[in-house]
Amino acid sequence: MPKPKVLISRRWPAGVEAKLLSLYDATLNPEDRPLDTDAFRGAMQTYDAICPSVCDTLGSDILNAANRRCKIIANFGVGYNHIDIDAARANGLVVTNTPGVLTEATADIAMTLLLMSARRGAEGDRLVRSGLWSGWCPTQMMSSDVTGATLGLIGFGRIAQAMARKAHHGFGMKILYVKPTPADPEVVDDLHAERCASIDELLPRCDYVSLHCPGGNQTRHLMNAERLRQMKPTAHLINTARGDVVDSRALIDALTEKRIAGAGLDVYENEPHLDPGFLKLDNVTLLPHLGSATISTRTAMGEKVLRNLQAFFAGAEPPDRVV
């Protein structure tokens, strides 16, 4: 029997690509350029499986393609709000993701952003590189304490809990969280965490607020102008979740007017085309979606995709099926 035809939308770690090529009639993307809508629509007709990344948008205009051959969308990433799940379900498409393996790496980036925003790390780096630094003085670039401060987590899944462990056990931070249902009592006891009844209750109490909720219509602009006004003027907002969870213009206004002290962002609305207003601000740290970008994590993500594909083509249930 011929091997299933599989399309990989972007470059993967070399070792995983090699495994893929040995198992399937696979098409890679050596130039690593984003594919457009026409390319994906054509792929639906010519491949048995498509493996997109979180930067690829697979809407109904793609998933409803006529003469469809594709049977599985094996996503390289844990989030899948870039895939029209209703259209996938209506067309009988299986969709899988890669949960679990990127928890610690993404939590590390969230803590990195918190520390950089709190201690004005990116601003300090720019000052030194500019050649304008005149040397140490007692009042230069004074910033916010992290140790002993209060961290609020909106969402309390795997990544949020990993960040909370780093913050509480590493920096003695007090942990507040918002979650539709109470967290595991063992986790709560370990972190001495307190559950808030609502986001509105949590925001005014926090020195740092970190977002860990899924993207999509239900959470779009969850952090809007009204909620940003509920934060302390000394507080910082951290986002490693999805860009559309934050209203970019509202955040730019809040940072410009110093209604909050700072922000650390790894994700953006319409990325990579972030709002240029961010580039004019000193009190925001901007990273290029590095959350899972370690060699071991990205390799593990690719291995997860392979396990999902292997199960599907063997007639078994993919371990990370979401549809």
Side-chain angles (χ1 to χ4, degrees):
M1 291 182 62
K3 294 179 178 179
K5 286 177 63 67
V6 177
L7 173 68
I8 307 302
S9 72
R10 300 297 297 269
R11 291 301 307 269
W12 288 4
V16 188
E17 286 188 340
K19 287 185 181 181
L20 190 81
L21 289 168
S22 71
L23 292 168
Y24 303 107
D25 178 5
T27 299
L28 307 181
N29 184 351
E31 295 181 346
D32 206 22
R33 293 178 180 170
L35 303 178
D36 61 20
T37 298
D38 288 340
F40 276 116
R41 191 179 291 117
M44 292 295 295
Q45 300 169 331
T46 53
Y47 289 90
D48 299 296
I50 295 174
C51 302
S53 69
V54 296
C55 61
D56 301 314
T57 299
L58 272 64
S60 60
D61 54 338
I62 291 171
L63 302 183
N64 291 337
N67 304 314
R68 178 175 53 79
R69 174 175 174 173
C70 182
K71 303 174 184 67
I72 178 172
I73 306 294
N75 187 50
F76 187 96
V78 65
Y80 48 88
N81 60 301
H82 56 292
I83 301 169
D84 188 326
I85 295 300
D86 290 336
R89 187 178 289 109
N91 284 287
L93 282 161
V94 171
V95 178
T96 63
N97 68 342
T98 62
V101 295
L102 46 72
T103 299
E104 295 298 335
T106 305
D108 286 349
I109 284 292
M111 279 304 302
T112 299
L113 285 167
L114 187 155
L115 290 163
M116 289 181 72
S117 188
R119 298 305 304 270
R120 301 170 68 178
E123 186 181 354
D125 179 79
R126 290 192 294 271
L127 177 63
V128 174
R129 291 177 186 275
S130 72
L132 299 176
W133 183 44
S134 59
W136 184 89
C137 72
T139 58
Q140 184 181 56
M141 292 191 66
M142 293 188 294
S143 59
S144 305
D145 288 320
V146 173
T147 299
T150 298
L151 170 63
L153 299 148
I154 297 179
F156 203 57
R158 285 184 291 259
I159 296 170
Q161 290 178 24
M163 184 187 187
R165 285 194 298 273
K166 299 172 197 295
H168 179 69
H169 294 298
F171 294 90
M173 299 185 80
K174 177 177 174 57
I175 304 300
L176 306 180
Y177 74 95
V178 173
K179 184 176 180 287
T181 56
D184 185 323
E186 289 187 10
V187 172
V188 171
D189 290 345
D190 176 56
L191 299 171
H192 299 283
E194 178 184 344
R195 182 182 176 218
C196 294
S198 67
I199 296 172
D200 299 332
E201 178 191 334
L202 177 141
L203 292 174
R205 299 176 59 188
C206 297
D207 302 301
Y208 302 92
V209 175
S210 189
L211 304 176
H212 298 277
C213 46
N217 292 333
Q218 290 186 330
T219 57
R220 185 176 184 275
H221 290 185
L222 183 76
M223 291 301 296
N224 52 27
E226 180 181 353
R227 285 213 163 107
L228 288 166
R229 277 192 284 271
Q230 294 176 21
M231 293 175 63
K232 296 179 181 180
T234 54
H236 297 251
L237 179 70
I238 309 301
N239 189 14
T240 57
R242 285 290 179 266
D244 59 4
V245 174
V246 178
D247 182 334
S248 295
R249 289 309 312 171
L251 178 57
I252 289 168
D253 289 344
L255 291 167
T256 300
E257 297 167 10
K258 305 296 175 65
R259 285 188 276 108
I260 64 171
L265 308 176
D266 191 42
V267 290
Y268 311 89
E269 290 189 282
N270 305 312
E271 64 179 66
H273 308 292
L274 69 161
D275 192 307
F278 285 121
L279 305 179
K280 302 174 184 178
L281 297 169
D282 279 330
N283 56 344
V284 62
T285 299
L286 308 170
L287 295 183
H289 206 146
L290 296 180
S292 62
T294 71
I295 296 168
S296 62
T297 298
R298 292 280 168 86
T299 299
M301 290 167 68
E303 295 281 1
K304 277 237 169 193
V305 176
L306 285 177
R307 285 194 289 274
N308 285 314
L309 289 174
Q310 288 173 302
F312 177 81
F313 287 121
E317 180 70 8
D320 302 303
R321 181 170 180 167
V322 295
V323 171

